[in-house]
Amino acid sequence: MSILTSERHSKHRAESTGEILVRRQVELAKAAFPHTINEAADAPFVDVEDTLSRLTSEAEEMIQERGKPSRRVRRSLSQYAHRLLEITDVEPDLLDPHSISLIAHAADATGERNLLQTTLEQAHRADLTSDTNVNLQAIEAALELDLPFTDVMRTLNKSVIPYSTEEKTNHIPLSSEYDHLFVHDAHHIRTVPLLDQDGHELSTERPLFRQ
C-alpha cells in the first residue's frame, strides 16, 4: 500500500468514525430533549383532530388532579394545534366549530394565546363571524378580557335563554266585569230580574247560575 493510499484510507476511516459520533450525539440529544421532535409534522387532518381531542381530555383530567397538564401533554398540544392551523390555513373549509374549539382548548392548556389570535384571523378570512359562531365569540371575548377561553365559554353558555317549545295561543283575558265568575262561594246565588214582553220587570226572580 502506497503512502498516498494509506493516507486516504486513514482519512476515510476518521470521517466514518466522526459521522458515527455525530449520529450518536444527535440521538442522545433527541432523547434528552424530546421537544425538538415535532410529533405532528405532516400529520393528516383526521389524525390531528383525533389526537387533539384525546390530548384535550387528558389535559383536563390533569388540571383537575394536579392543577396543570404535564410538559409532555402541553408540548404535544402545541404541536398538534399549530399543525391544525397549518392545515386550515390551506383549506379554510376545515375550520369549523369543532376544530376551533380544539385549538382554543389547546391554547388554554398551553398558555399560547397566539393560537387564539391566529384562529380568529383565519376565521375572518374565511368569512366566519362571531354572530353565528359562539366559539369565535368566546375567543374574541377571551382575547379582549385576557381570560381563558374555557371560562368565557362557560359564562356564555350560562347566559343563553332556553327556547320554549310551548305553542303560543291567542288567549284574550276577560274584562274585569267577569271577575265575579272566579269567586268561589258555593252558597251565593245570583239573581236577575225577569222582564215581560213590554220590558217591565216581573216580581218573580230565578237563579241565573250558581258559583
Side-chain angles (χ1 to χ4, degrees):
M1 180 183 294
S2 66
I3 297 176
L4 182 59
T5 302
S6 178
E7 289 178 351
R8 287 177 177 176
H9 182 68
S10 299
K11 183 178 181 180
H12 177 71
R13 271 183 22 186
E15 289 175 350
S16 298
T17 303
E19 290 175 357
I20 293 174
L21 290 174
V22 170
R23 188 179 303 109
R24 287 180 178 176
Q25 290 175 352
V26 171
E27 291 174 353
L28 289 173
K30 288 181 177 180
F33 304 99
H35 62 276
T36 59
I37 303 174
N38 189 348
E39 305 172 9
D42 301 324
F45 178 76
V46 175
D47 291 348
V48 172
E49 276 204 331
D50 290 345
T51 304
L52 273 177
S53 296
R54 176 179 57 80
L55 289 171
T56 298
S57 299
E58 191 173 345
E60 290 177 353
E61 292 179 0
M62 290 182 175
I63 290 174
Q64 293 177 358
E65 294 175 359
R66 48 190 284 187
K68 66 177 182 178
S70 66
R71 182 179 301 178
R72 176 190 63 82
V73 171
R74 294 199 306 271
R75 180 184 66 249
S76 296
L77 276 170
S78 175
Q79 292 175 350
Y80 279 95
H82 282 286
R83 173 56 181 162
L84 183 54
L85 286 172
E86 289 178 1
I87 296 173
T88 54
D89 189 37
V90 178
E91 301 183 59
D93 291 343
L94 296 178
L95 191 66
D96 57 12
H98 180 58
S99 59
I100 292 173
S101 177
L102 288 174
I103 297 171
H105 281 95
D108 282 355
T110 60
E112 296 184 33
R113 307 287 289 178
N114 62 311
L115 290 172
L116 297 179
Q117 186 63 48
T118 303
T119 301
L120 192 60
E121 292 171 358
Q122 286 193 13
H124 289 165
R125 289 198 299 269
D127 294 328
L128 298 176
T129 65
S130 58
D131 295 336
T132 57
N133 193 312
V134 68
N135 288 327
L136 291 180
Q137 184 179 354
I139 288 178
E140 289 179 349
L143 289 171
E144 182 178 353
L145 302 175
D146 193 22
L147 292 173
F149 167 83
T150 306
D151 292 350
V152 176
M153 179 60 76
R154 187 180 300 114
T155 301
L156 289 176
N157 287 336
K158 288 182 179 179
S159 64
V160 173
I161 301 175
Y163 176 74
S164 175
T165 58
E166 184 180 354
E167 292 186 5
K168 296 181 179 180
T169 59
N170 296 324
H171 173 70
I172 302 177
L174 295 174
S175 63
S176 58
E177 62 180 307
Y178 294 97
D179 289 346
H180 62 273
L181 296 177
F182 306 100
V183 177
H184 299 283
D185 185 358
H187 302 289
H188 180 66
I189 299 176
R190 290 185 55 86
T191 59
V192 294
L194 297 178
L195 304 179
D196 59 17
Q197 294 181 353
D198 298 327
H200 300 294
E201 183 176 348
L202 301 177
S203 58
T204 305
E205 293 184 345
R206 66 177 182 182
L208 177 61
F209 50 79
R210 183 181 296 272
Q211 292 183 331

